[in-house]
């Protein structure tokens, strides 16, 4: 029934023989929702957290649905969905939208790939209960190893009835009905004053580290002023980029301390970009920092930035995450002006220095503590 799922690709995300564009949780969600999808009319189905299009395109194809609204946090997932739809001739069956009222108004069926974080799940469940049709049914699937009892509890804050499906091929679906419309104002992004930073940090549910200061970020902040001094000879209107900005703490620090810099904060996550934008507004920095959603630095010209600061995603032992970090370093090497500087922080056991040397230029350790290493890499002068 879902032959289409076997044809999907992850591109532009990393592709490898052991990485797949759909999984058993996608199929189980589509099966558990079969009755609801068959009965749904145009514009009544919403998909949230689809990875590469399995849920959106699986529903469009198998149930001849149109007017599907889809929200994905990751830009690479959104691009993969668009490309998969193009190949399958299904581009006219869905639209991609941010998490919010336009996505959910009138929705009667919501398909969800459960996020890892409970705060992210809370924000999604709040949005569904707030804006979808009161009779909405949510089908939220995931691999059993990633599911926790706390996810049922989080859904139960927003829905009267939450039940788990039988497990199949190591996956399970939580089905939620009886949405309780919230009466309070939308609780996201949270705004938290951080005395150590002297900043208000804004965070949506899916943003890295929430509204807290990550310890790797804290360490790299110690080197931001030195980085700006090192590149100062490059002109007064130099551009500095916070690559993979999350809630935008590094960009805010750069803008606050160095009014002469043009600062760009960029991330592929919709939650990060919305959070960083809110952080800038909360600190009166929104006219000084441009925040954009981008995969790496794909919208930035070659040799256009004087300084890039990056706290890349890393996960111990994950080839995928190392690959993401290296892709970001490669992008930094392309976008830095001659003599420009990349300052990056990572877990000390990750041997990134030789890669930085190769992808950016001469690389020097600026700092090391028991957990993290900060390396400054200079792009060749010509
Ligand atoms: C470790 S977090 C750092 C966040 C923030 N700079 C901080 O220090 O708190 C890494 C960030 O990189 C972002 N990211 C991952 N892959 C990316 C990509 N291909 N392009 C842009 N950003 C990416 C993630 O969404 C995440 O926000």
């Amino acid at each position: 029934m879902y032959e289409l799922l076997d044809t999907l690709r992850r591109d532009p995300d990393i592709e490898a023989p052991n990485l797949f564009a759909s999984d058993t949780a996608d199929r189980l969600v589509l099966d558990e929702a079969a009755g609801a999808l068959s009965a749904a009319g145009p514009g009544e189905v919403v998909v949230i957290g689809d990875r590469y299009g399995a849920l959106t395109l699986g529903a469009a194809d198998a149930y001849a649905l149109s007017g599907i609204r889809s929200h994905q946090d990751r830009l690479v997932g959104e691009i993969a969905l668009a490309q998969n739809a193009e190949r399958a001739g299904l581009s006219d069956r869905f639209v991609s939208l941010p998490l919010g009222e336009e996505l959910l108004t009138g929705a009667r069926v919501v398909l969800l790939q459960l996020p890892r974080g409970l705060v992210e799940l809370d924000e999604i469940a709040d949005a569904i209960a707030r804006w979808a049709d009161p009779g909405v049914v949510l089908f939220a699937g995931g691999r059993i190893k990633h599911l926790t009892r706390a996810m049922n509890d989080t859904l139960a804050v927003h829905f009267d009835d939450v039940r788990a499906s039988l497990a199949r091929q190591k996956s399970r679906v939580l089905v939620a009905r009886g949405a309780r419309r919230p009466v309070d104002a939308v609780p996201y992004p949270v705004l938290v004053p951080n005395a150590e930073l002297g900043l208000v940090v804004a965070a949506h549910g899916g943003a890295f580290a929430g509204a807290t200061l990550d310890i790797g970020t804290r360490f790299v902040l110690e080197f931001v002023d030195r980085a700006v001094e090192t590149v100062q000879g490059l002109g007064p209107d130099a551009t500095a980029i916070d690559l993979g900005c999350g809630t935008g703490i590094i960009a805010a620090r750069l803008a606050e301390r160095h009014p002469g810099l043009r600062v760009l904060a960029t991330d592929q996550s919709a939650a990060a970009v919305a959070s960083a934008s809110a952080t800038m507004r909360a600190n009166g920095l929104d006219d000084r920092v441009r925040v954009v959603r981008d995969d790496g630095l794909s919208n930035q010209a070659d040799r256009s930035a004087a300084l890039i600061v990056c706290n890349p995603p890393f996960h111990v032992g994950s080839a995928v995450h190392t690959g993401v970090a290296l892709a970001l370093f490669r992008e930094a090497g392309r976008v830095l002006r001659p003599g420009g500087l990349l300052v990056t922080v990572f877990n000390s056991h990750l041997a990134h220095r030789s890669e930085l040397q190769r992808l950016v230029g001469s690389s020097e350790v600026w700092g090391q503590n028991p957990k993290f290493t900060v390396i400054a890499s200079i792009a060749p002068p010509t």
Side-chain angles (χ1 to χ4, degrees), residues 68-262:
I68 297 174
R69 286 168 283 171
S70 189
H71 170 71
Q72 294 157 281
D73 183 64
R74 296 168 70 238
L75 183 59
V76 290
E78 206 175 298
I79 297 169
L81 165 61
Q83 293 180 166
N84 282 320
E86 180 79 34
R87 279 189 288 270
L90 294 169
S91 302
D92 57 349
R93 305 285 195 88
F94 73 96
V95 288
S96 290
L97 291 167
L99 183 66
E101 193 166 358
E102 195 187 348
L103 177 78
L104 284 155
T105 299
R108 297 182 57 82
V109 183
V110 177
L111 310 183
L112 170 69
Q113 270 290 356
L114 282 160
R116 295 279 178 100
L118 289 178
V119 186
E120 188 173 2
L121 180 58
D122 181 69
E123 182 169 11
I124 292 167
D126 175 274
I128 297 169
R130 188 177 294 274
W131 290 306
D133 184 277
V136 67
V137 186
L138 167 65
F139 298 88
R143 307 279 290 162
I144 288 170
K145 64 181 175 194
H146 298 141
L147 300 188
T148 61
R149 181 74 218 173
M151 290 179 169
N152 301 47
D153 299 341
T154 299
L155 289 177
V157 172
H158 302 279
F159 294 87
D160 289 335
D161 182 24
V162 180
R163 290 173 201 201
S165 74
L166 292 176
R168 192 178 82 190
Q169 293 177 298
K170 300 184 179 165
S171 296
R172 204 186 279 286
V173 172
L174 305 178
V175 183
R177 294 183 170 80
R180 280 198 288 279
R181 184 94 61 213
V183 287
D184 300 344
V186 180
Y188 296 96
V190 295
L191 295 173
V192 180
N194 183 305
E196 178 182 349
L197 290 168
L199 289 171
V200 175
V201 180
H204 283 272
F208 169 78
T212 66
L213 175 61
D214 166 66
I215 49 174
T217 313
R218 175 185 283 132
F219 193 41
V220 79
L221 284 177
E222 291 179 23
F223 301 91
V224 160
D225 293 339
R226 176 173 168 191
V228 175
E229 278 157 28
T230 306
V231 294
Q232 243 167 14
L234 294 173
D237 63 344
T239 297
I241 302 176
D242 177 356
L243 173 56
C245 64
T247 55
I249 290 171
I250 296 171
R253 172 61 67 86
L254 279 165
E256 224 199 343
R257 293 263 189 102
H258 304 281
L261 283 176
R262 292 167 198 252

Side-chain angles (χ1 to χ4, degrees), residues 284-298:
L285 294 168
D286 41 329
D287 57 343
R288 303 266 333 280
V289 179
R290 201 157 61 85
V291 183
V292 296
R293 187 167 178 229
D294 194 2
D295 176 16
L297 293 168
S298 76

